[in-house]
Amino acid sequence: MIYEAVLLLGVVFIVGYVLLIPLQWSYPLPTTQRTLLQIALFVVIGAYFVVCWTRSGQTLALKAWRLKVVDSEGRPPRRGRAIARYVLAWHLWLPGLAIAGLFQLSVGATLAALAVSFALLLIPALLDRRRRLLHDLWTRTRVVRAP
């Protein structure tokens, strides 16, 4: 996951550059501009994952670790299932983000809330015999070792 985040840093930088420079947006962004930037990043990052998962089942990070996302038949997931997997995977972060937003937490407290909620939502994988997270259970996908 950390390796994936490092790779996505470049994607986020490019999208941010494309939006911020030509539109002459600057910090602090008003609510509307910040929301548009967040939506653009969500869509572009989602497109990266969906395209990778549907083509070969592997993002660049998954290739490096020799892992692969497959459906219940062992094939790369189709587009609809890959989109659902991406959207549903955000359940790992939503509780922490909601808590941070509701209570206007500091940066450190926000990071702690994100870490705790993320860790708690990993627990279902310990109970599943195939070690699937909730979004994999919901979309009938799984991460397997690639040959």
Side-chain angles (χ1 to χ4, degrees), residues 1 4 49-50 53 59 62 68-72 77-95 117-126 128 130-144:
M1 197 172 193
E4 200 77 75
F49 282 113
V50 169
W53 290 336
T59 61
L62 290 177
K68 188 176 190 175
V69 175
V70 296
D71 63 13
S72 57
R78 293 188 180 207
R79 186 179 300 132
R81 190 170 295 212
I83 291 170
R85 186 177 195 272
Y86 172 70
V87 171
L88 292 171
W90 281 93
H91 85 279
L92 294 166
W93 304 105
L94 287 179
S117 71
F118 185 84
L120 289 174
L121 287 167
L122 292 178
I123 292 173
L126 298 174
D128 182 67
R130 289 197 228 164
R131 301 290 186 238
R132 293 171 296 174
L133 292 168
L134 290 176
H135 58 277
D136 283 320
L137 288 168
W138 295 331
T139 58
R140 293 186 307 271
T141 58
R142 66 183 192 271
V143 178
V144 297

